[in-house]
Amino acid sequence: MPTEPNVDQTTIASFGDEWSRYDQSKLDEEELKKIFENYFQLFPWSALPPQAEGFDMGCGSGRWAKLVSPRVGLLHCIDASSEALNVAKRNLAGHANVRFLVATTDSAPLGPGSQDFGYSLGVLHHIPDTFAAMQACVRLLKPGAPFLVYLYYRFDNRPAWFKFVWRLSETVRAAVRAMPAPLKAVTTDVIALMVYWPLARMSLLGERLGLHMRHMPLYGYRNLSFYTMRTDARDRFGTPLEQRFTRDEIEEMMAQAGLENIVIADGEPFWCAVGTRK
């Protein structure tokens, strides 16, 4: 009997709307490079073969592909949302070595063991069965090929009060994620203005005064623009399906999916990890 597709259609539609509204065309190039370097700090660029072929699973607006494609031979940008993929096509119009595929993790039309690398940043935790989605990604890789993944953390490195604040924020998210798209966009913009921006700038000020601010909520946004805050507030509060994992759970999941030589970054964003296919 056919298995149930590993997708959540409301979440796919939500991301299509998000990337259409925040298509990243207004994101400063230097800021994009800074964020990119944080996510790709562990990626073994030097280990890739010449003219490497790989995939961006859940490419969204194509913001990561914009900086990956000049370094490789062929990049497959894969997304379950045709609306999001249209945004990526516009943003990557000048990148001749990019191919666009409307597909999910379990329907990507790439041969098993065919890819020299792959990455999926901020995507697999929005899929019903995250482990199965990771397995599907790993199956596409050649032996020894690297896979970079970013999954939301479960605050396993945070104090109890931080976790309590997050639980409070979940009550807000429960209401926002159910809103119609236009109201959701307005509400998350307000959250970005009234919550993200003040807390981020408070962290920046405290850090400049020599204070220890690393456990301050939204500390990671202290040097980022309001545009990025708007985008991420929409992502955080507006996405219907979200799952979180501890560092140990991510490492175990990656190993069981068929990855080895697993390394997890100690700094933000939590948790970013890379492994190679066995």
Side-chain angles (χ1 to χ4, degrees):
M1 293 185 63
T3 57
E4 192 73 17
N6 189 19
V7 296
D8 183 83
Q9 292 296 342
T10 57
T11 297
I12 292 172
S14 178
F15 275 110
D17 176 75
E18 175 181 335
W19 295 123
S20 294
R21 293 176 187 274
Y22 310 106
D23 65 4
Q24 306 305 289
S25 61
K26 298 178 183 177
L27 182 61
D28 178 76
E29 289 291 327
E30 289 305 313
E31 183 171 352
L32 174 61
K33 290 178 183 177
K34 182 193 306 180
I35 300 171
F36 176 86
E37 288 166 2
N38 285 339
Y39 281 107
F40 280 82
Q41 59 185 291
L42 296 176
F43 194 77
W45 295 107
S46 61
L48 297 184
Q51 297 300 303
E53 176 181 341
F55 62 89
D56 178 336
M57 187 63 72
C59 68
S61 66
R63 54 182 170 169
W64 313 130
K66 186 176 182 179
L67 296 177
V68 171
S69 62
R71 306 178 185 219
V72 301
L74 178 62
L75 180 63
H76 300 282
C77 281
I78 305 168
D79 204 284
S81 167
S82 57
E83 193 175 3
L85 210 61
N86 285 335
V87 174
K89 288 177 181 178
R90 292 198 302 270
N91 287 338
L92 297 165
H95 297 247
N97 65 332
V98 177
R99 302 292 179 267
F100 301 94
L101 303 169
V102 179
T104 64
T105 52
D106 51 4
S107 69
L110 302 176
S114 64
Q115 302 298 294
D116 296 309
F117 70 93
Y119 60 92
S120 186
L121 304 179
V123 176
L124 303 188
H125 48 233
H126 295 305
I127 295 176
D129 189 336
T130 298
F131 174 61
M134 185 178 292
Q135 283 182 306
C137 290
V138 173
R139 278 196 294 269
L140 302 176
L141 299 170
K142 296 176 181 177
F147 180 65
L148 177 70
V149 64
Y150 164 63
L151 295 174
Y152 283 165
Y153 72 138
R154 206 190 291 167
F155 312 107
D156 39 316
N157 61 344
R158 298 295 194 181
W161 67 264
F162 192 104
K163 298 175 185 178
F164 176 72
V165 171
W166 173 76
R167 284 194 292 270
L168 291 179
S169 75
E170 278 293 274
T171 62
V172 178
R173 195 178 89 84
V176 174
R177 69 185 181 186
M179 293 177 177
L183 180 58
K184 185 185 293 186
V186 172
T187 302
T188 55
D189 277 357
V190 171
I191 291 172
L193 178 63
M194 303 302 292
V195 180
Y196 277 62
W197 193 88
L199 290 179
R201 293 303 181 257
M202 195 181 302
S203 289
L204 180 61
L205 177 60
E207 188 172 70
R208 288 178 175 174
L209 292 174
L211 302 177
H212 182 78
M213 305 297 293
R214 290 192 177 274
H215 285 307
M216 182 77 171
L218 303 174
Y219 168 82
Y221 292 88
R222 68 197 182 282
N223 291 310
L224 299 182
S225 66
F226 183 63
Y227 186 80
T228 293
M229 295 179 199
R230 290 178 67 202
T231 303
D232 288 6
R234 170 61 179 79
D235 193 303
R236 167 71 183 95
F237 288 91
T239 305
L241 175 62
E242 173 190 296
Q243 302 178 82
R244 291 180 176 270
F245 305 90
T246 67
R247 179 178 180 139
D248 289 344
E249 287 171 341
I250 293 170
E251 185 171 9
E252 181 179 359
M253 195 187 315
M254 293 175 73
Q256 290 183 356
L259 295 170
E260 60 184 359
N261 305 316
I262 297 166
V263 180
I264 302 178
D266 291 325
E268 295 192 65
F270 304 116
W271 294 109
C272 232
V274 69
T276 55
R277 184 177 180 180
K278 295 177 183 177

